[in-house]
Amino acid sequence: MANYLLYGTEMSYFSGKARSYLRWKDIDLEERLADQNFYENVCVPKIGRRVIPVTLLPDGTALQDTTQLFDYFEGAYESPSFSPINLQQRFLASVLELWADDWLLIPAMYYRWEYEADTNALDFGMDLFPDLPLKEQAEVGRQASTLFRSALPLLGVHAHNKKRVEDNWKAVLAELDTHFRAVPFLLGERPTIADFALSGALYAHMYRDATAGTIMKREGLAVARYVEKMMKPRVSLSGEFPESREVPPTLVPILRRIMSEQIPVVADVAARVSAWREENPGKKIPRVIGTHKFVFEGAREERSIFPYVVWMAQRTKVLHDRFQREEPESFSNLIPTIGGEVLTSLIIKDPLAIIDHEIVWRDET
């Protein structure tokens, strides 16, 4: 048996993130399908809820959050390293991971359930009960996927703004395609944690699903080839991440997009999470705490407030603040270029922690 077990599926957004990283890291890994038996006998007993991916360590410890998975394996195995040495690239990698994990869920979930709902429901059933007859798999999958199919309004996707979601994704795809025609990875010549997050975001939904996959291969072929490379590495890397401070020019439009589209939403989420804490003293943090307004493609929309985003963003903010404090000249040169002033002004009053797979207030741990 391999030292590590990864439970996930091909159609899972975050399974792709973990799988890509562990393959590039060349971990002694066995991948197993997350079927109903896994959920009942592994996932719920260890994690407390049904969620993937789950990675089991040799001692039986379970890692569920993919960012915590990166932290663990980057610490346990120094080579090959996918953690940039200098603060500028570490900061940018964190910005891009936050974008991939949170913001790209919008087009990914939209295309999956707007165009391939029945096919993907069947895929769910095939994964959950691989030995059932096809008709029964389709029915089980339809029931199991109900939560995902109904999640679009939670992300801010509504009947009136579907065209804006599609226009936004095609603009993002064009920027990514321009970038990957010039540079092999997000930050240059070597993948970082940001690449594993992005490839996870792109693979399961935007590459594998029929409609989104056709669009990617037709309008963003370099992106499709990037996804293939990230999911099946053909080269072995060794050693530390090279020292480099260059920001590929083709990455700047993507970074400016993140700062203008996503970070204002993150800032509002952080403020509302703090307000929720004041109004609910002593209560456990739920996974969703209501809704708020946000601007998407120039229009005001509504979406749910996910406290987890604050946990991701505070990691980015810590690196931002270190970069500003320790390398002020480089910081001052970069931030205006990428429109990062909005991140500089971000306030996270109540940082979070993840303990035993649950989000808690960091000052109460």
XYZ file of all heavy atoms in Angstrom, residues 239-280:
333
model
N 14.792 20.173 -6.113
C 15.398 21.374 -5.565
C 14.398 22.431 -5.148
O 13.188 22.246 -5.180
N 14.949 23.587 -4.756
C 14.146 24.690 -4.278
C 13.607 25.522 -5.437
O 14.086 25.449 -6.572
C 14.979 25.583 -3.353
C 15.394 24.930 -2.049
C 16.116 25.912 -1.146
O 16.583 26.946 -1.656
O 16.204 25.637 0.063
N 12.640 26.345 -5.096
C 12.081 27.271 -6.064
C 13.137 28.317 -6.407
O 13.811 28.840 -5.528
C 10.849 27.954 -5.466
C 9.916 28.494 -6.489
C 8.869 27.728 -6.958
C 10.084 29.773 -7.003
C 7.994 28.227 -7.904
C 9.230 30.277 -7.959
C 8.175 29.507 -8.413
N 13.334 28.631 -7.691
C 14.372 29.612 -8.051
C 14.024 31.010 -7.574
O 12.864 31.392 -7.502
C 14.394 29.544 -9.583
C 13.033 29.052 -9.956
C 12.610 28.116 -8.862
N 15.038 31.764 -7.248
C 14.857 33.171 -6.856
C 14.512 33.983 -8.105
O 15.247 34.015 -9.077
C 16.136 33.713 -6.223
C 16.089 35.200 -5.872
C 15.152 35.497 -4.716
O 15.036 34.640 -3.828
O 14.560 36.589 -4.729
N 13.360 34.607 -8.093
C 12.936 35.421 -9.225
C 11.944 36.466 -8.752
O 11.075 36.169 -7.934
C 12.283 34.549 -10.307
O 11.738 35.353 -11.325
N 12.085 37.690 -9.266
C 11.166 38.760 -8.892
C 10.383 39.266 -10.100
O 9.610 40.223 -9.976
C 11.935 39.912 -8.243
C 12.556 39.519 -6.921
C 13.211 40.685 -6.220
N 13.746 40.246 -4.939
C 13.035 40.165 -3.830
N 11.765 40.485 -3.856
N 13.583 39.751 -2.709
N 10.562 38.642 -11.212
C 9.866 39.096 -12.408
C 8.398 38.706 -12.364
O 8.045 37.568 -12.048
C 10.510 38.503 -13.657
C 9.841 38.947 -14.948
C 10.471 38.306 -16.163
O 11.437 37.546 -15.998
O 9.978 38.561 -17.276
N 7.529 39.649 -12.672
C 6.111 39.367 -12.836
C 5.843 39.326 -14.340
O 6.035 40.329 -15.030
C 5.234 40.453 -12.186
C 3.760 40.146 -12.404
C 5.545 40.556 -10.695
N 5.447 38.182 -14.883
C 5.183 38.124 -16.321
C 4.173 39.207 -16.719
O 3.122 39.336 -16.083
C 4.598 36.722 -16.516
C 5.121 35.924 -15.364
C 5.197 36.895 -14.225
N 4.472 39.999 -17.740
C 3.539 41.069 -18.135
C 2.137 40.565 -18.443
O 1.151 41.266 -18.194
C 4.211 41.671 -19.382
C 5.657 41.323 -19.241
C 5.700 39.996 -18.547
N 2.049 39.341 -18.980
C 0.738 38.793 -19.329
C -0.080 38.413 -18.098
O -1.285 38.149 -18.216
C 0.911 37.554 -20.219
O 1.895 36.682 -19.634
C 1.372 37.957 -21.610
N 0.551 38.391 -16.912
C -0.183 38.089 -15.688
C -0.853 39.337 -15.114
O -1.830 39.229 -14.362
C 0.760 37.486 -14.643
C 0.143 36.970 -13.346
C -0.818 35.819 -13.620
C 1.231 36.529 -12.368
N -0.356 40.505 -15.475
C -0.860 41.749 -14.884
C -2.358 41.943 -15.109
O -3.091 42.296 -14.171
C -0.044 42.952 -15.380
C -0.692 44.270 -14.945
C 1.385 42.869 -14.849
N -2.896 41.739 -16.334
C -4.353 41.903 -16.494
C -5.164 40.966 -15.602
O -6.235 41.345 -15.115
C -4.577 41.577 -17.977
C -3.267 41.845 -18.628
C -2.235 41.451 -17.617
N -4.655 39.762 -15.377
C -5.356 38.808 -14.507
C -5.339 39.305 -13.071
O -6.364 39.277 -12.375
C -4.702 37.421 -14.627
C -4.855 36.900 -16.056
C -5.307 36.440 -13.623
C -3.994 35.690 -16.368
N -4.198 39.790 -12.617
C -4.092 40.305 -11.254
C -4.965 41.548 -11.070
O -5.630 41.708 -10.026
C -2.636 40.624 -10.921
C -1.700 39.406 -10.840
C -0.245 39.864 -10.782
C -2.041 38.538 -9.629
N -4.993 42.421 -12.041
C -5.841 43.607 -11.948
C -7.317 43.217 -11.911
O -8.126 43.847 -11.207
C -5.559 44.565 -13.107
C -4.166 45.177 -13.089
C -4.003 46.258 -14.143
N -4.822 47.424 -13.824
C -4.432 48.440 -13.047
N -3.234 48.420 -12.485
N -5.230 49.451 -12.821
N -7.678 42.192 -12.639
C -9.059 41.699 -12.622
C -9.422 41.184 -11.221
O -10.503 41.468 -10.698
C -9.233 40.595 -13.659
C -10.619 39.949 -13.640
C -10.727 38.831 -14.655
N -10.672 39.333 -16.021
C -11.719 39.818 -16.673
N -12.906 39.875 -16.072
N -11.600 40.235 -17.906
N -8.521 40.425 -10.625
C -8.765 39.899 -9.279
C -8.997 41.042 -8.296
O -9.929 41.010 -7.477
C -7.583 39.030 -8.820
C -7.481 37.770 -9.691
C -7.723 38.644 -7.348
C -6.194 36.986 -9.496
N -8.136 42.052 -8.381
C -8.233 43.165 -7.438
C -9.535 43.959 -7.620
O -10.126 44.425 -6.645
C -7.036 44.098 -7.596
C -5.698 43.454 -7.246
S -5.636 42.842 -5.556
C -4.120 41.870 -5.600
N -9.985 44.102 -8.843
C -11.190 44.906 -9.078
C -12.472 44.112 -8.876
O -13.488 44.660 -8.417
C -11.164 45.493 -10.495
O -11.213 44.455 -11.474
N -12.463 42.812 -9.175
C -13.681 42.006 -9.092
C -13.850 41.328 -7.735
O -14.916 41.415 -7.117
C -13.681 40.927 -10.183
C -13.860 41.443 -11.577
C -13.939 40.316 -12.604
O -13.717 39.140 -12.244
O -14.224 40.625 -13.780
N -12.825 40.627 -7.296
C -12.975 39.755 -6.135
C -12.675 40.426 -4.804
O -13.407 40.216 -3.820
C -12.079 38.518 -6.286
C -12.212 37.532 -5.136
C -11.161 36.450 -5.153
O -10.122 36.593 -5.804
N -11.417 35.364 -4.457
N -11.587 41.160 -4.716
C -11.123 41.652 -3.410
C -12.138 42.576 -2.729
O -12.312 42.504 -1.504
C -9.741 42.300 -3.521
C -8.724 41.282 -4.061
C -9.278 42.812 -2.161
C -8.631 39.983 -3.257
N -12.861 43.446 -3.455
C -13.909 44.215 -2.763
C -14.973 43.323 -2.130
O -15.505 43.649 -1.066
C -14.495 45.085 -3.883
C -13.384 45.239 -4.866
C -12.677 43.909 -4.857
N -15.282 42.205 -2.762
C -16.250 41.262 -2.198
C -15.678 40.620 -0.937
O -16.361 40.473 0.079
C -16.635 40.196 -3.234
C -17.645 39.213 -2.650
C -17.201 40.852 -4.487
N -14.397 40.251 -1.002
C -13.733 39.665 0.165
C -13.752 40.645 1.336
O -14.007 40.259 2.489
C -12.285 39.272 -0.188
C -11.509 38.879 1.061
C -12.281 38.127 -1.205
N -13.484 41.907 1.050
C -13.472 42.918 2.108
C -14.838 43.033 2.774
O -14.943 43.154 4.006
C -13.037 44.269 1.538
N -15.894 42.988 1.972
C -17.234 43.075 2.541
C -17.569 41.824 3.347
O -18.210 41.905 4.404
C -18.268 43.284 1.435
C -19.615 43.712 1.990
O -19.667 44.694 2.762
O -20.620 43.046 1.674
N -17.141 40.665 2.876
C -17.350 39.427 3.627
C -16.672 39.521 4.993
O -17.265 39.177 6.023
C -16.819 38.208 2.849
C -16.800 36.955 3.731
C -17.670 37.943 1.613
N -15.424 40.002 5.023
C -14.691 40.111 6.288
C -15.428 41.033 7.262
O -15.536 40.730 8.461
C -13.280 40.624 6.030
N -15.951 42.147 6.751
C -16.682 43.083 7.607
C -17.958 42.454 8.142
O -18.315 42.627 9.320
C -16.998 44.362 6.834
N -18.648 41.712 7.303
C -19.918 41.115 7.718
C -19.715 39.937 8.666
O -20.553 39.668 9.531
C -20.732 40.725 6.490
C -21.248 41.941 5.734
C -21.938 41.588 4.445
N -22.349 42.786 3.741
C -23.533 43.389 3.908
N -24.399 42.913 4.790
N -23.841 44.463 3.217
N -18.623 39.228 8.496
C -18.310 38.152 9.441
C -18.044 38.743 10.825
O -18.505 38.211 11.850
C -17.104 37.329 8.944
C -16.566 36.420 10.047
C -17.504 36.483 7.729
N -17.318 39.845 10.882
C -17.074 40.504 12.167
C -18.380 41.011 12.778
O -18.599 40.898 13.999
C -16.092 41.663 11.992
O -14.799 41.184 11.683
N -19.247 41.564 11.940
C -20.536 42.047 12.446
C -21.376 40.882 12.967
O -22.052 41.009 14.005
C -21.283 42.785 11.338
N -21.330 39.767 12.286
C -22.077 38.582 12.732
C -21.585 38.129 14.100
O -22.376 37.755 14.958
C -21.922 37.456 11.711
C -22.762 36.243 12.032
C -24.021 35.981 11.602
C -22.385 35.142 12.875
N -24.464 34.792 12.117
C -23.483 34.248 12.895
C -21.241 34.819 13.599
C -23.457 33.053 13.630
C -21.216 33.635 14.333
C -22.315 32.771 14.346
N -20.273 38.177 14.308
C -19.736 37.756 15.600
C -20.256 38.652 16.726
O -20.613 38.164 17.813
C -18.206 37.793 15.573
C -17.574 37.243 16.840
C -16.065 37.352 16.842
N -15.497 36.556 17.931
C -14.211 36.517 18.232
N -13.349 37.244 17.508
N -13.779 35.766 19.225
N -20.307 39.954 16.475
C -20.808 40.873 17.501
C -22.271 40.601 17.825
O -22.703 40.731 18.979
C -20.636 42.318 17.027
C -19.189 42.776 16.948
C -19.069 44.227 16.521
O -20.127 44.894 16.375
O -17.928 44.701 16.334
N -23.024 40.209 16.802
C -24.457 39.966 16.996
C -24.751 38.578 17.541
O -25.875 38.320 18.011
C -25.178 40.145 15.651
C -25.107 41.562 15.103
C -25.489 41.635 13.635
O -25.875 40.580 13.081
O -25.400 42.737 13.054
N -23.760 37.683 17.491
C -23.975 36.288 17.900
C -22.850 35.819 18.816
O -22.149 34.852 18.497
C -24.080 35.386 16.671
C -25.233 35.735 15.765
O -26.341 35.261 15.945
N -24.966 36.592 14.782
